[in-house]
Amino acid sequence: MKYIRNKKRQIRKTYENEFLRFITQGGDKLSIEPGSYLEKKVLQALIIDYNSFISGSNQTLLLEKIGKESMINKVERYLKSTNRWKNKTGTYLAGEYDLKKLEPLLLKQLYTSDNELFFITARSLIKINNKTYLKEILRKSAEQSWMSKNNTLSLLELIEGDIEEILLEIMETEDMFLQVIALEESGKRHYQKSVGWIEKMSQSPEKELRIAALKASDRLGNTGESSYLARLMSLKNDPEWEVRAFLAKFLKKVNSDQAVNILMEFMRDENWYVRHNAAESLFYLDEKGHAALKALLHAEDPFASDAARAVLQREALYKETTG
């Protein structure tokens, strides 16, 4: 064993510089040609150690050097390991190297009691099978309350293609966490069917759903539908400052007198974040917004005048530095 360890160390010393050059500088050639079993094991160890720095095209070439079956066997041992670090590393690698053969093991791990392992498992299943297990992943996540909203949305970013029907099905559930996820993602993906859900959820008694509706509308933009805009603008007197803040952010996409009037009201809001978003949105509304900001410079309300001055000074500074 001592001889083998020394031999591995020598091989690694020979390989490492060329390996690092390949993964950092790119190119389609790697001068390393492992011939023996031990040489392939050393290259395999380098792949695992430096995996986070290896791009997709380089991954393919490296797998050819060591043989995909060899990588599957290594990762499978990691997946079955009682060592938590190895288990999570193997789970991550299964997705990174698209090791579909290990899918049954990953599916079993969706029932893990480890929230971090659950996230890595879900990520790998999506990397391997795109949206195939999305509903199961989302429902399991909501059931266990394991993943944050941002982590869940980051998983959805990995999915290619249309998932509108899945999101609409999720919206029909009674689970508020899933409804928030589906609503925000449908707006991000510009699904037109989300308009009806945005209108409905903007009137929900749950603050989280009203906020999600406004976030979705901000991504979707101004559809021009009068009922859609009316529902959203009705939130101007919402008792929750977060809702008013997100409405202020959305209104930068509504270039109308009514939008400007609401934003001017928000410039006097008791909450700093609402005033900040209102000032930013007025700035984006070109002439109408800029005129409103200038008028607020002399407002009796110090909150409004300070917020307007901050945005206009930034604009002046920008023009000065860019010529």
Side-chain angles (χ1 to χ4, degrees):
M1 291 302 295
K2 184 177 180 181
Y3 170 78
I4 291 173
R5 284 196 297 270
N6 288 335
K7 190 69 175 175
K8 280 185 175 180
R9 197 177 296 115
Q10 291 170 12
I11 296 170
R12 185 172 181 122
K13 188 175 180 181
T14 303
Y15 280 2
E16 198 152 21
N17 285 340
E18 169 59 12
F19 181 85
L20 291 173
R21 180 208 62 77
F22 174 72
I23 66 173
T24 56
Q25 298 178 19
D28 56 359
K29 290 185 179 181
L30 177 66
S31 63
I32 296 173
E33 293 293 344
S36 68
Y37 172 77
L38 205 57
E39 288 173 344
K40 288 184 178 180
K41 292 289 287 182
V42 171
L43 182 55
Q44 186 184 79
L46 284 168
I47 292 171
I48 291 173
D49 289 347
Y50 290 102
N51 178 71
S52 58
F53 302 99
I54 303 173
S55 65
S57 58
N58 288 345
Q59 285 175 350
T60 303
L61 194 148
L62 288 167
L63 278 185
E64 291 173 0
K65 294 285 186 181
I66 63 170
K68 190 166 185 177
E69 199 62 34
S70 171
M71 190 65 168
I72 289 173
N73 293 336
K74 179 72 171 180
V75 173
E76 185 174 8
R77 286 196 297 274
Y78 270 43
L79 277 170
K80 292 179 177 179
S81 173
T82 55
N83 181 294
R84 293 176 67 185
W85 178 85
K86 284 188 175 181
N87 189 215
K88 291 172 184 178
T89 300
T91 302
Y92 178 78
L93 291 172
E96 286 300 288
Y97 288 91
D98 193 20
L99 304 181
K100 190 173 177 61
K101 190 174 179 179
L102 300 177
E103 186 180 302
L105 287 173
L106 294 174
L107 284 170
K108 286 182 181 178
Q109 285 189 174
L110 280 181
Y111 297 90
T112 178
S113 58
D114 184 324
N115 62 339
E116 187 179 52
L117 181 60
F118 175 82
F119 175 79
I120 303 170
T121 301
R123 183 184 184 279
S124 288
L125 282 169
I126 289 172
K127 294 276 281 186
I128 294 171
N129 267 304
N130 203 35
K131 64 181 179 181
T132 303
Y133 302 108
L134 178 58
K135 284 192 285 187
E136 189 173 349
I137 288 168
L138 290 175
R139 284 172 179 157
K140 191 66 181 174
S141 174
E143 178 185 319
Q144 300 293 343
S145 301
W146 274 340
M147 285 199 295
S148 69
K149 183 188 70 175
N150 288 338
N151 278 348
T152 306
L153 290 171
S154 73
L155 288 178
L156 295 181
E157 288 178 1
L158 299 172
I159 297 176
E160 299 175 357
D162 183 22
I163 58 170
E164 184 171 18
E165 291 305 315
I166 294 176
L167 294 179
L168 289 175
E169 186 177 332
I170 292 296
M171 280 298 303
E172 296 285 358
T173 69
E174 296 298 318
D175 189 287
M176 187 170 67
F177 174 80
L178 292 180
Q179 288 177 323
V180 167
I181 294 296
L183 193 55
E184 288 194 31
E185 186 66 19
S186 64
K188 186 190 300 182
R189 290 179 179 248
H190 289 213
Y191 291 148
Q192 286 304 309
K193 286 184 180 179
S194 65
V195 172
W197 286 109
I198 289 172
E199 287 189 38
K200 179 180 178 180
M201 293 305 174
S202 68
Q203 308 303 304
S204 168
E206 300 292 342
K207 175 180 74 173
E208 289 79 5
L209 288 172
R210 299 199 302 277
I211 291 172
L214 287 166
K215 286 185 176 181
S217 66
D218 187 47
R219 292 298 190 103
L220 186 62
N222 182 6
T223 65
E225 297 180 37
S226 56
S227 62
Y228 168 77
L229 289 176
R231 292 271 187 172
L232 295 177
M233 289 185 178
S234 70
L235 296 173
K236 67 178 183 178
N237 296 318
D238 196 282
E240 303 290 346
W241 70 263
E242 297 99 325
V243 176
R244 301 195 304 276
F246 280 109
L247 174 59
K249 185 177 179 183
F250 164 70
L251 288 177
K252 68 176 178 289
K253 297 182 177 178
V254 186
N255 196 0
S256 70
D257 291 340
Q258 186 179 5
V260 170
N261 289 337
I262 293 174
L263 289 170
M264 288 185 72
E265 287 181 34
F266 281 167
M267 290 288 284
R268 298 177 174 84
D269 196 275
E270 62 183 17
N271 183 271
W272 175 88
Y273 197 52
V274 177
R275 299 195 301 274
H276 170 77
N277 281 2
E280 291 287 323
S281 290
L282 284 171
F283 176 76
Y284 278 104
L285 290 179
D286 300 327
E287 291 183 10
K288 287 181 181 178
H290 289 196
L293 285 170
K294 289 175 182 176
L296 287 166
L297 285 174
H298 306 292
E300 292 182 7
D301 188 334
F303 291 155
S305 60
D306 287 348
R309 185 173 293 103
V311 171
L312 291 171
Q313 284 177 343
R314 191 184 66 197
E315 180 192 16
L317 182 61
Y318 174 77
K319 288 180 178 179
E320 181 180 328
T321 55
T322 57

